[in-house]
Amino acid sequence: MSLVISLVLLGLGIGQRTIWEPPETIVAQVQEPAESQVVIIPGEAMNAHDGVQTLTVEGEGPVTAVVGRAHDVAGWIGESAHAIASVDETDALVLDEQRGDEEPLPEIAGSDMWIEEAQGEGSLELTIDLPIGYSVAITGAPGEAAPAAIGVAWPFDAKTPLFGPLITAGLVFLALALLFLLLALRHHRRRRGPQRRSHRELSRAERRALRREAQEGLPLPAKPISPTPPAGEQGAVEADASTPSSAEPASETAPASSVEHGADDAPAAASAPEPGTASAPDTPERESSTRERRATRSRRSRFGLIALPVVALVGLTGCGPQYWPSGETEAAPTDAPTPSTLEETLPPVALTENQFDRVLESTRETVAEADEALNAEVASSRLAGPMLEARTTNYQVRSQNAELAPAPGIPDGEVELLLPQQTEVWPRSVMAVVGWEDGAQAQSALMFQQRDARSNYRLAYMMTLASGVQLPAVASPTIGAASLPGDTPLLLHRPNEITAAYADVILNGAESQYNSWFREEGDALRAEIGRPAKDAMRALPEFELSNLEWSVAEDEQAPMLLVTNEGGALLATSFLETQRTTPTESGVEIEAQAGAGILAGVQQSDTGIETTYQIQVLFSVPPADAPEGTQIQVVGYSQSLVSAREVQ
């Protein structure tokens, strides 16, 4: 009965892992095709089940899937119609159509905001472990509805809690069945009693010898003739024969002639060894050793029969928890987690370090291509504002004079500092300090801006850091920095007043009413183009018959500002400075510099030349509660020729 129960239990246990085993994956499929151009699968839907998600998309023509932070995806879609997917209780993807603008959407791939992209023709597959707070956006051909066949698969941890108990119980009953079998065999052997070997038949020679002795009337020998025992029993038989029988009188001994005759005839025949048998009888020690070996083999056999199911049972107890019932219940869904760290309470950063690395590399490649072809249109895909204006002017003059110096390239070294803005809206900005592979060149501060969600980041400012000037401490790239409006009272001076004030200091020096705002020590830009430098230029012999005048104007690009750790800010801005050179006497001609002459269309003029330069400056602005006497400091700058004309 134990064996039958064991087989039934083992069969049921094996069936748990074969016939009745659950599927290896859980698949959620869209039941109805989307009407919108884009389908969004939020991180909550992608995490409806545990494990890595495998997204499959099939449609007609090109299909695209991008992964980004939820607010970035929502920002890119904007007011356009779209469908949001969720997983219902039957593990199906249900689409919730959100009405909106039906205008064709642009190509979704290629944005700087995406963490990962996948594209295919007719189908694609993307395996990802998407966390909460991120989303997947799926589109087909531009202007057409999203692909109809969208599915998400999760690996299913096939729990079979009855497998362990059934197999364990089956092995226990198997061990009991084997134990009962051993006990039954032992009981059966004891009831049969000792078993002896069957005697073999006498040989022909032995029978003739016995017949001859009987005919002669001789008495039988004291040791009866018996078949030669096996080697293991020969010693015991001889020992019995050498002991006188109690039924035989000690006085009845055979005559000498009979003994001699028996010794010469019958006993000789009886003791003749049979072919294939041992000639020497076994000793008692050898017989005892043989019995011990047989007993040891018997015990080992019984131990093996019992040990096999025991070892299997012990091994089974080490199986994973998916094979045993668990008293734990699934945790009930909870509300959104409460932020517990400073990083979780702040707005997200504009972009991550990996995203910025891609932006910087793309900017390097694009600008290098534009510099090679002197193509401002190519450069405009990664440059904007003052940087694009300066580059466009440089391309214009170099196209007519290849010997003129090119504009500085984008630094090719490592990113030394990255400070993205904390924001979920647009425009967004990010500052980085990047070095050069040539260590002799000073590091540069780069300010990028993304004007809207469907635009890429463009480089607006690039300033060379001044030697010996220390940047203020800023937050880590994962925390980022807030931006402030131009009229904020939280800084020592309002940002929208700083640019014009510094330009006035450049023109008037110590006589400027704003001179006390800015630290003169370490200001290399003031030393290069400030009032003392302008006075020194007027005194040069070549300008003896010329009149030099300077004026400043604000640039179109708005300042970009990011807060530092102590409550101050890094402010990137630019302004235009125009140098007007006119003759003081009739017949005097003003000679234009090479680049300015190309832009003005004349190399010499008797009326004068106006040359305009763009000045980019990076300021460190103290907080409003800074100690008395604290001043704004220039930490980086650059200047470029942007226009020239003949004075009319």
Side-chain angles (χ1 to χ4, degrees):
M1 180 59 69
S2 297
L3 181 60
V4 174
I5 296 175
S6 170
L7 294 177
V8 171
L9 292 175
L10 291 175
L12 292 175
I14 294 173
Q16 293 288 310
R17 299 293 297 166
T18 54
I19 302 174
W20 303 296
E21 184 178 17
E24 296 181 356
T25 58
I26 301 175
V27 179
Q29 197 76 26
V30 170
Q31 303 300 312
E32 297 181 0
E35 299 177 3
S36 306
Q37 301 178 58
V38 58
V39 172
I40 299 175
I41 307 179
E44 291 77 7
M46 294 290 285
N47 286 273
H49 298 282
D50 295 334
V52 176
Q53 308 100 15
T54 301
L55 173 69
T56 56
V57 182
E58 295 183 0
E60 297 181 359
V63 291
T64 304
V66 298
V67 179
R69 292 175 294 182
H71 59 272
D72 289 342
V73 174
W76 189 92
I77 293 175
E79 300 298 326
S80 298
H82 59 281
I84 300 178
S86 60
V87 180
D88 64 9
E89 62 278 1
T90 63
D91 284 331
L93 279 179
V94 180
L95 299 182
D96 181 14
E97 295 286 347
Q98 305 292 314
R99 299 301 175 185
D101 187 2
E102 299 291 343
E103 291 295 321
L105 291 172
E107 177 65 40
I108 195 172
S111 174
D112 292 334
M113 298 188 298
W114 308 144
I115 304 299
E116 190 171 350
E117 297 180 3
Q119 293 180 286
E121 187 65 30
S123 65
L124 67 82
E125 181 175 306
L126 176 63
T127 300
I128 188 172
D129 189 2
L130 190 72
I132 302 295
Y134 287 74
S135 297
V136 179
I138 303 168
T139 62
E144 298 182 3
I150 301 174
V152 180
W154 298 267
F156 180 54
D157 186 9
K159 294 182 181 296
T160 51
L162 295 180
F163 173 76
L166 288 174
I167 295 297
T168 303
L171 292 176
V172 169
F173 277 98
L174 178 60
L176 291 175
L178 294 177
L179 178 61
F180 292 153
L181 176 62
L182 293 177
L183 294 176
L185 291 176
R186 181 180 180 184
H187 179 68
H188 179 67
R189 287 182 177 178
R190 286 181 175 180
R191 290 188 61 185
R192 291 181 60 191
Q195 301 294 314
R196 299 183 179 276
R197 289 182 182 272
S198 300
H199 295 290
R200 66 176 180 84
E201 295 184 359
L202 299 177
S203 64
R204 182 179 297 177
E206 292 171 338
R207 289 196 298 270
R208 283 200 303 268
L210 291 175
R211 230 180 358 256
R212 186 171 55 253
E213 291 178 353
Q215 292 175 356
E216 294 177 356
L218 294 178
L220 293 176
K223 180 180 179 180
I225 299 174
S226 62
T228 303
E233 300 179 2
Q234 186 174 358
V237 174
E238 290 179 356
D240 294 337
S242 62
T243 303
S245 176
S246 59
E248 183 179 351
S251 59
E252 291 182 5
T253 58
S257 59
S258 300
V259 173
E260 290 176 2
H261 183 77
D264 294 338
D265 192 359
S271 62
E274 188 177 340
T277 61
S279 59
D282 290 343
T283 63
E285 292 80 1
R286 183 171 180 179
E287 180 182 4
S288 175
S289 176
T290 302
R291 291 176 178 173
E292 289 180 1
R293 286 196 299 270
R294 289 176 179 172
T296 301
R297 284 196 297 268
S298 177
R299 287 194 299 271
R300 288 177 179 175
S301 176
R302 291 193 298 268
F303 176 76
L305 290 175
I306 299 176
L308 180 60
V310 172
V311 171
L313 179 62
V314 172
L316 187 63
T317 59
C319 293
Q322 66 272 24
Y323 302 134
W324 296 88
S326 175
E328 299 179 0
T329 58
E330 295 186 2
T334 59
D335 296 334
T338 302
S340 58
T341 65
L342 174 63
E343 186 174 349
E344 293 175 342
T345 59
L346 295 173
V349 294
L351 79 176
T352 64
E353 293 181 78
N354 289 337
Q355 287 175 306
F356 179 77
D357 288 341
R358 296 200 306 268
V359 169
L360 180 60
E361 186 60 31
S362 176
T363 302
R364 287 168 173 165
E365 295 175 356
T366 301
V367 171
E369 179 185 351
D371 289 349
E372 182 71 22
L374 302 179
N375 190 328
E377 185 177 355
V378 174
S380 65
S381 64
R382 280 301 181 185
L383 300 181
M387 279 296 294
L388 180 60
E389 185 179 1
R391 216 82 178 180
T392 302
T393 302
N394 184 262
Y395 293 162
Q396 184 178 348
V397 298
R398 286 179 60 207
S399 63
Q400 299 184 41
N401 185 355
E403 295 181 358
L404 293 177
I410 310 302
D412 57 359
E414 297 294 330
V415 177
E416 307 293 341
L417 180 147
L418 178 63
L419 185 63
Q421 181 184 356
Q422 299 170 352
T423 183
E424 293 183 353
V425 298
W426 285 266
R428 300 175 172 183
S429 58
V430 58
M431 190 194 82
V433 175
V434 185
W436 295 84
E437 290 187 358
D438 180 6
Q441 293 182 267
Q443 297 173 330
S444 296
L446 283 63
M447 294 290 292
F448 288 84
Q449 186 179 58
Q450 187 185 30
R451 302 196 69 86
D452 57 71
R454 295 181 183 176
S455 300
N456 281 332
Y457 282 87
R458 288 176 169 83
L459 180 61
Y461 294 103
M462 187 174 77
M463 293 81 63
T464 301
L465 295 183
S467 176
V469 177
Q470 187 71 30
L471 281 173
V474 296
S476 68
T478 58
I479 296 178
S483 183
L484 296 174
D487 59 351
T488 178
L490 299 178
L491 299 178
L492 188 62
H493 299 286
R494 297 183 185 274
N496 54 12
E497 299 174 352
I498 293 176
T499 305
Y502 185 75
D504 187 76
V505 172
I506 291 294
L507 286 181
N508 302 311
E511 298 177 3
S512 172
Q513 61 176 326
Y514 306 107
N515 187 59
S516 62
W517 286 20
F518 303 92
R519 183 189 302 177
E520 184 176 1
E521 182 183 358
D523 189 348
L525 179 59
R526 187 189 300 197
E528 184 176 342
I529 64 173
R531 178 65 180 270
K534 289 175 169 55
D535 292 342
M537 182 180 291
R538 286 191 179 103
L540 293 175
E542 57 264 33
F543 295 109
E544 184 178 358
L545 301 176
S546 303
N547 183 31
L548 294 177
E549 296 177 322
W550 286 271
S551 63
V552 294
E554 293 187 2
D555 203 352
E556 295 181 358
Q557 175 69 38
M560 300 170 61
L561 180 149
L562 292 173
V563 176
T564 61
N565 287 355
E566 70 273 10
L570 288 170
L571 175 68
T573 186
S574 64
F575 62 91
L576 300 176
E577 182 185 67
T578 300
Q579 175 182 320
R580 183 185 177 95
T581 307
T582 56
T584 57
E585 297 181 3
S586 178
V588 176
E589 292 186 339
I590 304 300
E591 184 175 356
Q593 296 180 0
I598 294 174
L599 295 175
V602 295
Q603 293 298 323
Q604 294 180 336
S605 173
D606 57 2
T607 59
I609 300 292
E610 279 188 356
T611 306
T612 302
Y613 294 88
Q614 177 197 87
I615 312 298
Q616 300 181 28
V617 190
L618 180 64
F619 295 106
S620 175
V621 185
D625 58 354
E628 185 177 355
T630 305
Q631 296 174 305
I632 300 172
Q633 183 177 19
V634 175
V635 295
Y637 69 92
S638 66
Q639 55 180 329
S640 306
L641 174 68
V642 292
S643 66
R645 70 181 185 88
E646 185 179 12
V647 177
Q648 299 300 324

